[in-house]
Amino acid sequence: MPSPPPVPGRRAPWRTPLAIALAVLLALGVLAGAEWTYQRALDSLASLGARDTARNAIQTVMRRLLDMETAQRGYLLTGRPQYLDPYQAAETDIAHAISRLREHYRSDPDLLRLVDSLQERAREKTSEVTETIALYNAGSHAAWHGLMLTDIGREKMEGVRRVADVLMVTEERRLGIERAAIYRTLAVGHIGVYVLTLLSLLAYVFFLRKNAALQTSQIEHARHLQMERDSLESQVRLRTEELAQLNLGLQEMRDGERSGLARALHDDLGALLTTAKLDLTRLRHSLHTTDPEVTERLRHLSSSLDEGIGMKRRMMEELMPSALHNLGLQAAIEHRATEFEQQTGMTIDLAFMPVTLDVPSEQALFAVVQGALSNVERHASATIVSLRLAQEGIHAVVEVQDNGLGFADRQGTTSASGLRNLRHRIESLGGQFSVHSVPGSGTRVMARLPLRQRDPAPPGAPRATTSG
């Protein structure tokens, strides 16, 4: 018998947990990469927003100082008060812008000093504009005109512009750094997507290969199992055939022994009892006595011999029915049915068709009839029994059915053992045996055997073919 194939998955029990761990790590890597890219993008966007706020604040300071200078010149040239509106709103806007810059650079002392310088330069420029407007309002035209002709306003504005340029350059540089960080984050995320995609494809290919290997292993395992199953079935079939042949041989041996014993009873014991009966008859005729005791003894001896001869005949019929041996299966069944009706008082409906069988098949079918009728007599409590012998195709069929009590299960009983023996005997001859019974609805016993021709018999031997 071939050795059992390895069960798929048992050669490496660590592979499945490892594959699950790798899949979990890959999923965690995808989530971690996506989260990292998202957080970096959020940080970069927040930093860019802060940079834009700082640049807007610096530009606001410069723009409001220019608005103040423009308002100053327009007022000085025209004297119209409406030109002072931008000047009046500029101080508040500049203060708010300086406050935003302080908040933005709160963690950078160097840039905070530049913000202080920007605030100081803006205050000086504002003071210069305020002083010029105050002189104009006071009517000191020569004074404000002389102040305008000096370069103090331009110098103050240049000082503000230099500090603002430093801050703007710093913000531009940091904005460039942030943009580069964003590009790096995008590049890392881009590469991460490709790497994770490649790893996913590799994992999928690995899964497909393992799945294909598993399917191949399962197919190979199934093939080995099928081979083992076929081998076992072949061995079981061979052993069953051997047991059937052995059972058939034992049955034939048993039938031969029964037939030999029947012949011995007929030839030896029968001759002995017949001789004793004849001697007793001669003795009775030769004795002329009127002694009652002697007469009674002779009568009792004659009766005993008759009983012995009758017992010998019954034993011969049980061992080998003479009707089956001399007249064939149908005649033997009819004789057994007649005896059954006389013994039990039940009615038997007979239905026969001509069949041709060999001796073992006839003996087996007759044994089925005997066993079924014996069970009906002992257990069924039936009133009507139907007995059928027929030819169906290439099979001879015997069926015995009664309207008795039926049964559900008789495992372990004598009748069940007898039915089991009949089944083995029929199946050993290549036939089929079935018993169908429902409690309260009777029992049907059926045997089916292939038709087999009887071996040619010598001239003058009794025929084995039954006729209807």
Side-chain angles (χ1 to χ4, degrees):
M1 182 183 299
S3 60
V7 179
R10 289 188 178 177
R11 291 179 297 177
W14 48 268
R15 290 185 178 177
T16 299
L18 179 61
I20 295 176
L22 291 176
V24 171
L25 289 177
L26 182 60
L28 292 177
V30 172
L31 294 176
E35 184 64 22
W36 179 82
T37 304
Y38 175 72
Q39 292 297 331
R40 286 297 302 271
L42 284 181
D43 295 341
S44 299
L45 290 175
S47 180
L48 286 177
R51 303 296 176 202
D52 288 337
T53 301
R55 292 175 66 206
N56 290 333
I58 296 170
Q59 291 173 356
T60 297
V61 172
M62 293 300 298
R63 188 168 56 251
R64 290 310 182 193
L65 289 176
L66 290 175
D67 290 342
M68 290 177 62
E69 191 175 45
T70 301
Q72 174 198 25
R73 292 176 181 178
Y75 179 69
L76 294 176
L77 291 176
T78 62
R80 297 178 181 178
Q82 59 268 25
Y83 277 98
L84 294 178
D85 292 339
Y87 161 75
Q88 295 171 354
E91 288 191 46
T92 303
D93 292 342
I94 290 173
H96 290 164
I98 293 298
S99 177
R100 292 197 298 271
L101 288 174
R102 287 185 180 278
E103 178 65 23
H104 179 66
Y105 295 122
R106 64 183 182 275
S107 59
D108 194 335
D110 295 334
L111 292 178
L112 276 177
R113 285 193 291 271
L114 285 176
V115 173
D116 294 338
S117 177
L118 178 64
Q119 184 179 15
E120 182 64 25
R121 299 291 187 277
R123 186 181 298 113
E124 292 175 355
K125 177 61 180 177
T126 302
S127 298
E128 183 267 331
V129 172
T130 302
E131 181 65 22
T132 304
I133 294 174
L135 290 174
Y136 179 85
N137 290 333
S140 302
H141 294 288
W144 72 262
H145 190 266
L147 186 60
M148 289 291 294
L149 291 177
T150 64
D151 288 337
I152 188 171
R154 184 179 63 81
E155 291 176 358
K156 300 297 182 183
M157 194 66 186
E158 285 296 329
V160 172
R161 186 175 287 109
R162 283 194 298 272
V163 176
D165 287 343
V166 173
L167 292 175
M168 288 295 290
V169 169
T170 301
E171 289 301 321
E172 289 292 342
R173 180 174 57 82
R174 292 187 175 183
L175 190 62
I177 294 173
E178 294 296 335
R179 288 197 183 99
I182 291 176
Y183 290 141
R184 284 196 301 272
T185 301
L186 292 176
V188 171
H190 190 67
I191 294 173
V193 169
Y194 280 116
V195 171
L196 292 175
T197 302
L198 179 60
L199 290 177
S200 299
L201 289 176
L202 291 177
Y204 182 65
V205 172
F206 176 79
F207 169 76
L208 290 179
R209 291 185 60 185
K210 288 299 179 183
N211 188 45
L214 179 61
Q215 290 182 353
T216 302
S217 178
Q218 289 176 344
I219 293 174
E220 185 68 16
H221 184 65
R223 188 177 66 82
H224 280 285
L225 288 179
Q226 186 63 40
M227 291 175 58
E228 290 187 4
R229 188 180 299 111
D230 294 342
S231 176
L232 291 175
E233 289 179 354
S234 177
Q235 294 182 22
V236 170
R237 190 182 306 111
L238 180 61
R239 295 296 185 272
T240 302
E241 292 176 356
E242 291 177 354
L243 290 175
Q245 291 297 325
L246 178 60
N247 182 55
L248 182 60
L250 292 175
Q251 188 63 45
E252 291 177 352
M253 183 182 299
R254 176 173 174 271
D255 291 338
E257 292 176 351
R258 290 166 65 93
S259 178
L261 183 57
R263 284 194 300 271
L265 288 174
H266 179 271
D267 296 341
D268 299 335
L269 183 59
L272 182 61
L273 291 175
T274 302
T275 303
K277 179 70 173 179
L278 293 176
D279 290 341
L280 179 60
T281 301
R282 294 192 189 96
L283 183 60
R284 290 178 62 183
H285 287 90
S286 61
L287 289 177
H288 301 285
T289 180
T290 58
D291 187 353
E293 184 178 356
V294 174
T295 303
E296 178 62 24
R297 291 291 183 181
L298 292 176
R299 187 190 63 78
H300 183 269
L301 181 59
S302 177
S303 176
S304 297
L305 289 174
D306 291 337
E307 290 180 2
I309 294 173
M311 183 181 298
K312 182 265 300 182
R313 289 176 180 173
R314 288 194 300 273
M315 292 175 63
M316 287 179 57
E317 289 295 324
E318 291 178 359
L319 291 172
M320 183 59 63
S322 58
L324 178 63
H325 180 71
N326 297 320
L327 302 177
L329 180 61
Q330 179 177 338
I333 293 176
E334 290 177 345
H335 179 70
R336 181 68 181 92
T338 301
E339 289 182 348
F340 180 81
E341 287 180 330
Q342 293 174 354
Q343 294 171 1
T344 64
M346 301 182 194
T347 302
I348 295 185
D349 295 332
L350 300 177
F352 289 148
M353 289 179 60
V355 294
T356 302
L357 294 168
D358 57 0
V359 174
S361 297
E362 287 186 346
Q363 292 174 347
L365 292 181
F366 186 76
V368 170
V369 173
Q370 279 190 316
L373 292 179
S374 177
N375 286 335
V376 171
E377 182 179 357
R378 288 181 293 176
H379 306 292
S381 299
T383 57
I384 299 176
V385 179
S386 62
L387 198 158
R388 182 172 70 96
L389 173 64
Q391 178 176 338
E392 296 179 356
I394 59 172
H395 292 86
V397 178
V398 162
E399 181 179 0
V400 180
Q401 185 169 1
D402 64 76
N403 63 346
L405 300 177
F407 59 89
D409 187 9
R410 288 187 179 177
Q411 295 294 331
T413 63
T414 304
S415 60
S417 177
L419 293 175
R420 189 162 51 250
N421 292 334
L422 291 175
R423 179 188 300 276
H424 293 329
R425 183 170 185 178
I426 293 298
E427 290 179 352
S428 66
L429 293 171
Q432 299 172 356
F433 183 84
S434 63
V435 178
H436 179 74
S437 182
V438 177
S441 299
T443 303
R444 179 172 62 89
V445 178
M446 186 177 69
R448 182 189 302 268
L449 283 177
L451 294 175
R452 293 185 179 92
Q453 295 292 331
R454 179 188 286 266
D455 294 334
R463 298 194 310 167
T465 302
T466 63
S467 58

